[in-house]
Amino acid sequence: GTTTIHVLDYVDKKLSFTIITNSLDIMNKASQFENVTLFIIGEKYKPRTRSFIGIDSNILLNKFNINKCFMAATGVNIPNGLTNSEMEENLIKQLITKKARQTYVLADNSKIGHSTLLTYCNLSDVDKIITNNNYINLLRYIKYKKIQIMTLKSQNVGGFLKRKGKKLKHTTWENRFATRENSKKGRQELQNNQ
């Protein structure tokens, strides 16, 4: 999507890795990498979301073992988890998050505390949330469920990923950013919200 595509800005162009996507933009950007294996999900193009959808996607997705998934959401909140409003895309997102060993969510503050029509993943099944500063209403739940959160100074998560930074030589790019729980300010906020 428009947020998750920026993860590729921090991956070393020579790294050998596999991407499974239904996003046209991610397909185009990933094709620039020398050692990428790219699997395309979906048979039918949806111009509004610049993505592919399709029933056969489920059959293909069930065959994959997925280490990490980087997901965007239209809304992220405690009762409804990760949500979006497109039925066909929702089915693909459900399968991916169920198959993945680790789920990372990239969502800016405009998405936190909101939800849309369809849930594709419960918040308790998320390993890390990458966002900017406005997540105070999730702190107690995040601490209880031991979900790591990474805060960004940018108002826009995608914009943050575009800022200056070193290219990554490993797929664990998220370790470059301090988690909110490990920062002094973050620990204070967690204590104040207990």
Side-chain angles (χ1 to χ4, degrees), residues 34-102:
E34 295 175 19
N35 299 310
V36 68
T37 301
L38 184 59
F39 289 97
I40 311 303
I41 302 300
E43 304 83 32
K44 179 182 172 188
Y45 181 65
K46 194 167 191 175
R48 191 170 81 73
T49 58
R50 298 185 53 80
S51 63
F52 290 83
I53 55 172
I55 298 299
D56 289 343
S57 301
N58 299 346
I59 296 166
L60 181 60
L61 280 173
N62 280 321
K63 295 179 181 181
F64 289 116
N65 296 313
I66 302 170
N67 289 324
K68 295 179 183 180
C69 67
F70 295 88
M71 307 299 289
T74 308
V76 178
N77 72 11
I78 295 169
N80 298 317
L82 310 181
T83 63
N84 76 339
S85 55
E86 301 287 335
M87 180 64 77
E88 298 92 348
E89 289 181 25
N90 189 279
L91 295 172
I92 292 170
K93 289 181 176 214
Q94 280 180 18
L95 275 170
I96 289 172
T97 54
K98 284 178 184 170
K99 295 280 297 179
R101 288 185 191 155
Q102 293 180 312

